[in-house]
Amino acid sequence: MMDLKQQKAETEQVFREIQSMESLPEKACINFQFVTDEPKADWDGFTEAAEAAGYTVEWYEADDEDDEDCLEITTGPVVLTFENLWAEEEKLTLMAAIYGFIADGWGFFEEE
């Protein structure tokens, strides 16, 4: 069972820590990682739904048995604030739950 309040608090803490250590770009693409929460997770369904919502999707296979296969969903460039990051994360987390996935982390990069 996902706890969005706890997830939001963790995301905000990590974001604030990064913000305190480095200057953040004004705009960035945010990539979110999702792992399966159940054996019958619908990879194709989640991919299609995310792509239909305008995201870029890539699948990554685990490098070793300690890792999990993961689906990475990337936004286009957004103004990089905690509020914008959380709005995207919350939307994707709720979408992920429909297809048997849970959030597993995020990062961001400045478009070249």
Side-chain angles (χ1 to χ4, degrees), residues 2 25 33 44 49 53 56 58 68-69 77 86 94 98 104-105 110:
M2 78 178 123
Q33 291 81 37
D44 291 325
T56 304
E58 289 187 58
E68 292 184 72
D69 292 345
W86 175 249
L94 294 171
I98 295 167
D104 191 50
E110 208 168 353

Side-chain angles (χ1 to χ4, degrees), residues 10-22:
E10 288 171 10
T11 294
E12 183 167 23
Q13 180 184 358
V14 171
F15 184 83
R16 301 291 179 215
E17 284 173 11
I18 294 169
Q19 198 174 34
S20 71
M21 291 187 286
E22 59 185 89

